[in-house]
Amino acid sequence: MQQIRIDVGVYTALEIDLTGFDFTGIEKLIMTVKNSPVETSAVLFEREYTEAKVYTEYITPEESKKIVNGAVYDFNKVLADGKRLKMGDNGKIELRKGCGQNA
């Protein structure tokens, strides 16, 4: 998975391109962000997707302040029967700190 960059203390817009994803037999796709890939690590936030299109996600300033260096994200698919399956490897999150008023 590719690395994503999140700006700390301000809104960050991310483009999630799912136009080529086949949702056949899949109820939804979930992106999960955690500070560590360890199973017991708390989920910071999740986003859900239900159709093949381009999504613009906004990471809020509050969400960005919860993220630490070494944070990761991944995608899970939820099948029609409720089973949740991990897809691919974890992706890394790069934090970028600014000097703006809210950073």
Side-chain angles (χ1 to χ4, degrees):
M1 292 193 143
Q2 71 183 75
Q3 179 172 303
I4 59 174
R5 178 181 297 161
I6 295 178
D7 296 316
V8 178
V10 296
Y11 283 92
T12 301
L14 300 176
E15 187 175 276
I16 309 294
D17 185 354
L18 298 177
T19 54
F21 188 78
D22 182 7
F23 276 89
T24 304
I26 298 173
E27 182 180 319
K28 59 187 166 183
L29 191 64
I30 301 174
M31 179 179 78
T32 303
V33 174
K34 297 171 85 175
N35 278 330
S36 166
V38 176
E39 179 183 340
T40 56
S41 180
V43 172
L44 300 176
F45 56 88
E46 291 184 329
R47 299 292 194 269
E48 295 185 0
Y49 310 100
T50 57
E51 58 185 287
K53 66 179 191 177
V54 176
Y55 292 84
T56 300
E57 288 294 348
Y58 292 95
I59 308 304
T60 67
E62 296 77 24
E63 289 171 329
S64 72
K65 290 177 184 178
K66 295 177 185 177
I67 301 170
V68 300
N69 286 323
V72 295
Y73 73 97
D74 72 358
F75 284 92
N76 288 243
K77 60 184 174 183
V78 178
L79 304 179
D81 64 5
K83 289 184 178 106
R84 186 168 171 162
L85 307 170
K86 181 175 171 64
M87 297 179 54
D89 295 327
N90 293 334
K92 294 181 181 182
I93 296 175
E94 175 189 352
L95 297 178
R96 182 170 63 177
K97 297 194 179 191
C99 59
Q101 179 179 356
N102 295 321

